[in-house]
Amino acid sequence: MKSSRERRRDKRPQPDRPAIQPRAEARDAPRRALAESAEPKAASRTLRRREGALPAEKLPLILEVAPNADYALLDSGDGEKLEQYGPYRIVRPEGQAIWQRALPAHEWDKADALFTGDTDEEGMGRWRFPKAPLGETWPMRHDGISYLGRFTSFRHVGVFPEQASHWEHMERLIRDAGRPIKVLNLFGYTGLASLVAARAGAEVTHVDASKKAIGWARENQQMAGLSQKPIRWICEDAMKFAEREERRGNGYDIILFDPPAYGRGPKGEVWQLFEDLPALADICRSILSPKPLAVVLTAYSIRASFFAIHALMRDTFAGMGGSVESGELIIREKSAGRALSTSLFSRWVGGSR
């Protein structure tokens, strides 16, 4: 399914659980627009409960991103958040920030860009620049990796800082493995996870159904000085790609997947998270290498507890040993130290390498 995030809708219903950032529903708009009519859905995969002992479990696990030189959540409140992305201060809507702002108004007034949401036009019509007009893109860094930030028409800027916790975990697994590692990044978006994996020494396959996102990711690879690293950029529906890899007998040591709540692929393939996630998780198990390291699932804007995806992942990886760790990704605020929850996650980590 398409994972392009650059045109996510701003006016979205809030999920029932206030701890979940309503991020992925904004991905639905571009997916709906991609196809005039949906392609007939493929025959459902027959799922059977796996035999064997369930993996050990660790929950709840709260993975936290603290303010740093590249990114900081400076403050939040009154339905908005004030962030520092490299040289720029940015104000964007944040439905979960139901508390009061900690910083005084003059700190918020220093913002270089504000997302207004006052138009549905493409381009930069949704952004206001109080000080001076800014270009569409600007240079950013994550842990020494350069990439392009971009003011998109659906309020996002090309990176989701909370994912840094997963990237660091993945990088440690790759570096500690002491052998060649293959990583599959489904719904890969603008490629930061792929670049982190490639820098650590992995061979990476990056899949996203948006040509625009793939182009942006390739730009990021060049900007990061990682053009010689082995990254395959695949513009395709994630489910179809995974099914084909299963038929081919290909395997990966680490799989990341970050599916939307609802989406359409480039040929109108329909994705419904609660209907299709079990099958995709099952396929991910089937395309693991003989000595797998991890499978990482992130879920945004779903009306469920992390216990739901935790149970799914434990069932899916029954008989494989290891453990399943589940919980929430949060960003720690700089001003008052409050935690802003962004998403749910569940990851299976292999017991041996």
Side-chain angles (χ1 to χ4, degrees):
M1 294 294 78
K2 181 171 181 176
S3 64
S4 171
R5 299 177 172 99
E6 61 266 47
R7 293 186 55 202
R8 299 179 183 208
R9 295 177 300 171
D10 179 53
K11 298 179 180 178
R12 298 165 288 180
Q14 300 298 311
D16 289 347
R17 294 183 71 250
I20 308 173
Q21 170 92 353
R23 191 189 81 168
E25 289 185 13
R27 284 184 277 194
D28 301 350
R31 293 178 175 82
R32 297 176 204 268
L34 276 172
E36 293 297 326
S37 59
E39 194 176 72
K41 199 158 188 173
S44 298
R45 183 183 184 88
T46 300
L47 297 177
R48 294 182 177 85
R49 193 162 188 270
R50 301 281 186 169
E51 299 291 334
L54 295 179
E57 57 184 340
K58 183 178 181 180
L59 77 168
L61 180 62
I62 307 301
L63 299 181
E64 175 178 328
V65 169
N68 58 60
D70 299 322
Y71 169 81
L73 174 62
L74 300 177
D75 193 25
S76 59
D78 298 331
E80 293 184 312
K81 57 186 174 183
L82 174 65
E83 301 168 288
Q84 186 83 38
Y85 282 93
Y88 297 137
R89 283 192 173 195
I90 295 173
V91 174
R92 296 187 291 167
E94 177 48 67
Q96 291 191 94
I98 59 177
W99 44 82
Q100 300 301 305
R101 297 176 179 180
L103 292 180
H106 67 81
E107 291 293 337
W108 285 72
D109 291 341
K110 294 177 182 178
D112 300 283
L114 298 90
F115 185 83
T116 63
D118 58 358
T119 175
D120 287 329
E121 295 299 321
E122 291 289 337
M124 298 167 63
R126 286 176 162 260
W127 290 90
R128 182 167 65 85
F129 306 105
K131 298 178 181 179
L134 300 176
E136 181 187 359
T137 63
W138 76 93
M140 273 288 296
R141 289 175 71 82
H142 165 75
D143 190 31
I145 295 178
S146 298
Y147 67 95
L148 286 176
R150 179 174 269 119
F151 294 112
T152 72
S153 59
F154 279 80
R155 87 177 181 174
H156 299 291
V157 296
V159 63
F160 294 88
E162 67 272 12
Q163 289 284 337
S165 297
H166 286 328
W167 302 339
E168 292 166 7
H169 178 254
M170 172 183 64
E171 187 168 18
R172 287 195 301 272
L173 291 176
I174 294 169
R175 294 191 186 278
D176 292 347
R179 58 183 173 88
I181 296 299
K182 294 178 66 176
V183 173
L184 174 61
N185 186 12
L186 297 173
F187 311 96
Y189 190 38
T190 58
L192 265 293
S194 297
L195 297 181
V196 169
R199 183 183 66 174
E203 177 185 333
V204 182
T205 299
H206 174 110
V207 181
D208 196 290
S210 165
K211 291 182 179 180
K212 187 173 183 179
I214 292 289
W216 189 349
R218 285 180 175 273
E219 284 184 275
N220 287 340
Q221 183 184 22
Q222 292 180 350
M223 191 168 182
L226 297 172
S227 296
Q228 302 307 312
K229 295 294 185 179
I231 304 177
R232 287 196 302 159
W233 303 104
I234 309 294
C235 185
E236 190 174 351
D237 173 86
M239 179 75 88
K240 284 189 172 180
F241 178 83
E243 289 172 335
R244 190 169 67 252
E245 291 294 88
E246 182 182 32
R247 291 193 297 270
R248 290 174 173 173
N250 291 334
Y252 298 88
D253 302 290
I254 297 174
I255 299 176
L256 312 176
F257 64 123
D258 177 14
Y262 169 86
R264 289 187 187 275
K267 296 182 179 179
E269 304 93 338
V270 176
W271 168 271
Q272 296 279 2
L273 188 133
F274 283 105
E275 292 180 12
D276 299 319
L277 181 59
L280 182 56
D282 192 70
I283 295 171
C284 285
R285 170 173 170 153
S286 296
I287 58 176
L288 286 173
S289 70
K291 295 182 179 179
L293 299 181
V295 177
V296 182
L297 164 65
T298 310
Y300 292 83
S301 191
I302 64 171
R303 295 179 178 179
S305 162
F306 61 77
F307 282 100
I309 57 174
H310 177 77
L312 170 65
M313 291 289 279
R314 289 190 82 207
D315 263 19
T316 300
F317 293 96
M320 291 191 65
S323 64
V324 173
E325 307 171 341
S326 305
E328 298 192 14
L329 301 180
I330 69 166
I331 300 175
R332 185 66 63 181
E333 182 189 66
K334 188 174 183 179
S335 61
R338 294 170 293 204
L340 181 64
S341 176
T342 66
S343 56
L344 311 179
F345 79 91
S346 184
R347 66 189 186 193
W348 173 82
V349 182
S352 62
R353 297 170 198 168

